[in-house]
Amino acid sequence: MPDYLDDLRLAHVLADAADAATTARFKALDLKVETKPDMTPVSEADKAAEEVIRGHLQRARPRDAVLGEEYGVRGTGPRRWVIDPIDGTKNYVRGVPVWATLISLMEAGEGGFRPVVGLVSAPALGRRWWAAEGHGAFTGRGLTSASRIHVSRVGRLADASFAYSSLSGWEEQGRLNGFLDLTRSVWRTRAYGDFWPYMLVAEGAVDLCAEPELSLWDMAANAVIVTEAGGTFTGLDGRPGPHSGNAAASNGLLHDELLDFVNQRR
């Protein structure tokens, strides 16, 4: 079984390069921001970070495919790097420090592609999280300065903390009532948003989170980090992994109840 540690080390190199590109333009008064066809913003820093990651991968892993939010797919084969250069662009362009570069390696198998390496780097928060299949999940400043992380053991919704991004997507999908019922059933709710709820689940600070509409690059890195921390990561349909176009993550003990609530439609 591959250990993926060389790939994980490369992911850290990629994140270092992306962090340099993104932090250099964070809060810049002349930052250039455009609107994409889906009406979401993209900044020059999003493009620069993805370009620098692709450049490194072209040199270090020329046979691997790359899928990035800004520049699409390059290459084919059983290994694919999945990149979100800035997850939380709306925060980034407004000067809110909750944004991160998400890097994942996915590998083809019998059930399709699965994430085997994941790294989330949030330089404005001074935080980084990572995992490789079979090796657990960690947080720290780098491989030589890291602490292993684990999901919580909270087993009752009444004692649980639930994190989410916004209400609009739930309403658009007709799931708002179930979502609100869930918020009334837990101990605490907070809208941390984007990558952060998944990392908080992985390190046991939050017990469950969910989002109704996502892309693969939003989820691949998060999925392997949550699962290697001992948690559960599925779509709202219960399908394991980051392929459902939405996500639910938990410490595992509360996952069935989470799915029951967010799938209520009335």
Side-chain angles (χ1 to χ4, degrees), residues 48 63 65 69 100 160 212 227:
R63 296 184 179 181
E69 179 177 9
T227 54

Side-chain angles (χ1 to χ4, degrees), residues 16-98:
D16 289 342
D19 286 355
T22 54
T23 56
R25 299 298 292 154
F26 184 49
K27 295 187 178 181
L29 297 179
D30 60 344
L31 180 72
K32 296 179 181 177
V33 182
E34 303 171 356
T35 300
K36 294 191 287 189
D38 65 359
M39 302 307 294
T40 60
V42 56
S43 74
E44 63 182 84
D46 291 81
K47 295 179 179 180
E50 185 166 325
E51 286 168 354
V52 74
I53 291 172
R54 285 176 178 269
H56 276 278
L57 286 172
Q58 182 62 42
R59 294 186 293 272
R61 297 288 191 276
R63 296 184 179 181
D64 292 352
V66 181
L67 169 64
E69 179 177 9
E70 307 308 333
Y71 295 108
V73 179
R74 184 206 73 205
T76 60
R79 288 165 48 96
R80 176 182 292 178
W81 293 86
V82 179
I83 310 300
D84 189 344
I86 298 180
D87 183 51
T89 299
K90 292 178 182 177
N91 282 347
Y92 183 89
V93 301
R94 289 295 303 271
V96 179
V98 183

